[in-house]
Amino acid sequence: TFRLSNNLTTTEFVANIPNVTSLSRSFANVRDTPLSRIELTVSNKLTDVSFMLGNAGSRLTEIVFKGDFSKVKSVAYAFSCSGSGTNDNLKKIVGLDFTSVTNASRPFASQRGLTDIEIKANTVNVSLDLSDQRALNIASCVNILNALKDRTGQDALTLTLNAGLKTADTGL
């Protein structure tokens, strides 16, 4: 586990963190920093990204995961900012893989500005709430549908999307 200092003065944080098992609250102190982009190369040792942003709104516009995200079990409130209201700044989160995720409670809560979400195909086997994501682009919507696992013959799960997405293409 590691945690960034609230004295951070850089706009971009790029790190290779192969031995980190948890990112919980690691970026909770970035609310009042100029940080706008996070790029993390992770390994299959990473299992927890819950509350990664610590419910803090920020200047972040992009979060990129590289490496092996497949062993992450909890993404609960990982990228949410609900503790500080809503956020329209964060636009992009890519490199997610929900293969091992068992807890996906509102991972993107109050992130209204998200346009790009990328989750590896055929890996989502949990209910997913994207009700705050009113700005998702078509490619992200298709990506999310492709990320859902086939659950034929199993109990149904729920994918909740923002009602505004149904008319996103036409603007009506």
Side-chain angles (χ1 to χ4, degrees), residues 49-55 63 69 74-82 90 93 96 98 101 103-111 114 117 119 124 126-133 160:
V49 295
S50 61
F51 295 97
M52 182 176 134
L53 299 183
N55 273 337
I63 301 172
F69 198 88
S74 180
V75 294
Y77 297 92
F79 312 106
S80 73
C81 66
S82 56
L90 186 59
I93 301 173
L96 302 175
F98 277 40
V101 171
N103 185 352
S105 297
R106 310 240 16 232
F108 311 105
S110 300
Q111 292 290 0
L114 276 173
I117 296 176
I119 303 172
V124 176
V126 291
S127 291
L128 193 56
D129 184 345
L130 301 172
S131 60
D132 291 329
Q133 284 61 66
T160 306

Side-chain angles (χ1 to χ4, degrees), residues 132-154:
D132 291 329
Q133 284 61 66
R134 61 185 186 184
L136 289 177
N137 60 36
I138 297 302
S140 290
C141 291
V142 170
N143 172 271
I144 289 162
L145 292 174
N146 286 332
L148 302 175
K149 287 190 76 74
D150 181 350
R151 294 188 48 86
T152 303
Q154 300 177 54

